[in-house]
Amino acid sequence: MAPTDETAQVDQQTSPFGTTPPTLPPGGDAPGQGARMPRWLPRAMVLALTLVALFQLGSWAFHQLIGLLINILIAFFLALAIEPAVSWMASYGMRRGLATFLVFFGLLIATAGFITLLGSMLAGQIIKMIEGFPEYLDSVINWINSSFHTHVRRVDVQDSLVHSDWLRKYVQNSATGVLDVSAQVLGGLFKLLTITLFSFYFAADGPRLRRALCSVLPPARQAEVLRAWEIAVDKTGGYLYSRGLMALISGIAHYILLQALGVPYAPVLAVWVGLVSQFIPTIGTYLAGALPMLIAFTIDPWYALWVLIFVVVYQQFENYVLQPKLTAKTVDIHPAVAFGSVIAGTALLGAVGALIAIPAVATLQAFLGAYVKRYDVTDDPRVHGHRTRRSPSFRARLLGLLGR
């Protein structure tokens, strides 16, 4: 029978392996050709790009505002430090704004008086050193000539110093660095003004700030925020109290030494040592001891050595005896935790972090302590550090069973 057109068409569509290929939809393309994009993919890409852009914008804004944020953090802790004094004056009917102003005015007067006394002392010592420099230079030249049998003259030394390239380059660099120093001074004054204004607002409007913060929280959260605020005030005040007490003890101790050695300006130097060593972290001890050593060196080099020995010995006494006891009573924080918090604060925020690390950690520790469930400790000798008698090892028991 001759194949018809329909059977021929069926034979052409039949696969040589006996299977029929799938039929395509009318007007459709082959699989993988012209497949449509899922509807959610463009929106997901736009959302991802938007999130990346917002993250970049937030990171840029944070890096631009990190200086302001650090200043606000310092101002907040300063407001917490003066809060007890402001609250005490406000309890007697004085307005908080006036009480805050009086506290800041007292701090300003004390700081200005200390800087004035210190500046006059330094100016007097610098003038004294300049006037006595020729005599000191003559003594050094005479010692060199007598020891090494040379014929060095003071005039030759002065001429070589005046006409030296080192002095000329130093003067040029100092002249070009005046603008940089001026810019740094102006920047420091602006930063100090910013911190002062923010701390004044935080202290004067403390109740209003607390009400504004609690108005957006449920009652249970409000109680927690207020309790954390009070703990922060107590810990910050206790930290400053302990630092002030240690500064007083350090100042009295160094005043006795400097007065016994006959070093001039002993009261001012004692105040300098007490304040700088306690309120400037990390390098405060070295800065505090350098100035008395320099003044004592102008009197007698041996006096400078005695001051150095006393500073080192007293620092050890303060670190291992005085500071742990005062810190435990006022801040209630372990010395090891305090040391670690200072290191962490320095790594995060530099000198500012080291200064506020201890009150911040003490506040956090006291706040979280209410949420940590504690149990009675069992009466075990190992708790007190006494090791129990060890049981025989497996090898010893095996040898015992074998009769060896």
Side-chain angles (χ1 to χ4, degrees), residues 165-187:
D165 295 335
W166 173 82
L167 183 61
R168 178 174 55 82
K169 293 180 180 178
Y170 178 77
V171 172
Q172 291 177 353
N173 295 331
S174 299
T176 55
V178 170
L179 294 177
D180 296 336
V181 173
S182 302
Q184 292 179 0
V185 171
L186 291 177

Side-chain angles (χ1 to χ4, degrees), residues 161-329:
L161 289 175
V162 171
H163 297 91
S164 62
D165 295 335
W166 173 82
L167 183 61
R168 178 174 55 82
K169 293 180 180 178
Y170 178 77
V171 172
Q172 291 177 353
N173 295 331
S174 299
T176 55
V178 170
L179 294 177
D180 296 336
V181 173
S182 302
Q184 292 179 0
V185 171
L186 291 177
L189 291 176
F190 180 75
K191 183 182 296 185
L192 181 62
L193 179 62
T194 303
I195 294 173
T196 303
L197 288 177
F198 273 109
S199 58
F200 181 85
Y201 292 142
F202 286 152
D205 293 338
R208 186 183 304 175
L209 180 61
R210 287 191 287 269
R211 284 196 299 269
L213 184 60
C214 291
S215 63
V216 297
L217 298 174
R221 298 296 180 184
Q222 293 179 15
E224 294 180 359
V225 169
L226 294 177
R227 189 171 68 86
W229 194 291
E230 292 299 323
I231 291 175
V233 171
D234 294 338
K235 296 302 179 180
T236 305
Y239 172 71
L240 291 179
Y241 168 75
S242 62
R243 287 293 174 180
L245 186 58
M246 285 191 294
L248 178 63
I249 297 174
S250 176
I252 293 175
H254 287 84
Y255 170 76
I256 294 174
L257 172 69
L258 297 175
Q259 192 69 25
L261 295 177
V263 178
Y265 304 101
V268 181
L269 290 175
V271 174
W272 163 267
V273 172
L275 292 179
V276 174
S277 62
Q278 301 303 322
F279 291 99
I280 295 182
T282 308
I283 62 172
T285 303
Y286 308 103
L287 291 177
L291 185 59
M293 287 175 55
L294 180 61
I295 303 300
F297 186 81
T298 60
I299 307 301
D300 191 342
W302 287 103
Y303 288 175
L305 180 61
W306 282 112
V307 172
L308 175 62
I309 294 174
F310 183 83
V311 167
V312 173
V313 172
Y314 180 82
Q315 188 64 32
Q316 303 305 314
F317 167 75
E318 181 182 282
N319 291 338
Y320 294 101
V321 178
L322 187 61
Q323 184 174 353
K325 293 183 178 180
L326 292 178
T327 303
K329 292 181 179 180

Side-chain angles (χ1 to χ4, degrees), residues 13 15 19-25 31:
Q13 293 179 355
S15 174
T19 58
T20 303
T23 59
L24 297 175

Side-chain angles (χ1 to χ4, degrees), residues 50 72 140 166 181 183 302 309 317 329-330 342 371 389 395 401:
T50 303
I72 293 176
V140 173
W166 173 82
V181 173
W302 287 103
I309 294 174
F317 167 75
K329 292 181 179 180
T330 57
V342 169
Y371 299 96
R389 184 178 179 181
R395 182 175 179 271
L401 292 175

